[in-house]
C-alpha cells in the first residue's frame, strides 16, 4: 500500500490551524530530589532513630572510660515489628564475660542516651576493638601508642635460650622465649 501525497497547507490555513489548536506547554524541570526526600528522611529518622554512629561518637561518655577501652558499638539492628533494637558490641576477647555480666547496666546507659526502650538486648561479638585514642586527647594517645621493648642484656638472653633449649622447636618454644623476655624486662624495670 502506497501513501498518498498530501498537499501542505497555505500560510493562511497554517495560521488558522495554529490559532485554533493548543500547543504543548514548555517542560518544567523536575523538583530536586532533596526537597522530595526530606519528608521521608524525617519520618524514617523518627521511626528508626540514630544508628551506631551517634553511639560511637559518644561511647566513652555513655559507658565510661574503662568499658570504652574494651568495647565498641558496631551495629544497631531494629526488627520490623517495632520492638526494641539489638545493639551489636565488639568486645576484646577476655573482657566478653565481664561485659556480659554488665549487660543490664550497659542497656540502661544506652537507653538513657537513645531514649527509653530503644535497645532491648546486646549481642556480644569478640574481636579487636579500635582504640579511640584521638578522641581522648594527646596524653591518652601517647599512652596507647606502644613502644618497642628494649632488648635484653646478651648474658640474660643467652641464659634464657639455654633454659628452653630442651624444648622441641616450634611455636611453644617461641612463646616460652617471648614470655621469658617479658618477665625478665619486668623484673629489671621494677625497683627491688
Amino acid at each position: 500500500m502506497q501513501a498518498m501525497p498530501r498537499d501542505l497547507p497555505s500560510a493562511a490555513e497554517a495560521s488558522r490551524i495554529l490559532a485554533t489548536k493548543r500547543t504543548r506547554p514548555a517542560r518544567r524541570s523536575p523538583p530536586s530530589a532533596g526537597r522530595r526526600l526530606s519528608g521521608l528522611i524525617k519520618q524514617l529518622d523518627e521511626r528508626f532513630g540514630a544508628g551506631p554512629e551517634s553511639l560511637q561518637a559518644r561511647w566513652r561518655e555513655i559507658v565510661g572510660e574503662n568499658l570504652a577501652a574494651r568495647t565498641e558499638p558496631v551495629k544497631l539492628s531494629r526488627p520490623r515489628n517495632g520492638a526494641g533494637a539489638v545493639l551489636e558490641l565488639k568486645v576484646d576477647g577476655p573482657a566478653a564475660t565481664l561485659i556480659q555480666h554488665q549487660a543490664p547496666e550497659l542497656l540502661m546507659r544506652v537507653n538513657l542516651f537513645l531514649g527509653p526502650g530503644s535497645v532491648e538486648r546486646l549481642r556480644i561479638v569478640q574481636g579487636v576493638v579500635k582504640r579511640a585514642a584521638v578522641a581522648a586527647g594527646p596524653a591518652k594517645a601517647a599512652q596507647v601508642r606502644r613502644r618497642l621493648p628494649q632488648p635484653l642484656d646478651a648474658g640474660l638472653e643467652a641464659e634464657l635460650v639455654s633454659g628452653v633449649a630442651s624444648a622441641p622447636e616450634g611455636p611453644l618454644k617461641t612463646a616460652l622465649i617471648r614470655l621469658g623476655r617479658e618477665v625478665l624486662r619486668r623484673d629489671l624495670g621494677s625497683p627491688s
Side-chain angles (χ1 to χ4, degrees), residues 57-78:
R58 314 261 323 257
W59 190 243
R60 193 170 296 283
E61 296 171 34
I62 295 170
V63 298
E65 205 59 45
N66 197 13
L67 290 178
R70 293 178 174 87
T71 61
E72 173 186 3
V74 177
K75 185 166 125 182
L76 196 59
S77 305
R78 298 184 189 274

Side-chain angles (χ1 to χ4, degrees), residues 154-167 173 177 181 184:
L156 287 174
E157 182 75 28
E159 186 179 328
L160 176 65
V161 171
S162 68
V164 292
S166 61
K173 185 173 185 176
I177 291 173
R181 285 183 187 135
L184 288 172

Side-chain angles (χ1 to χ4, degrees), residues 121-143:
R121 65 186 183 93
L122 294 179
R123 181 172 175 251
I124 297 173
V125 178
Q126 291 184 353
V128 178
V129 174
K130 290 183 244 171
R131 304 286 186 232
V134 178
K140 197 69 172 174
Q143 286 178 348

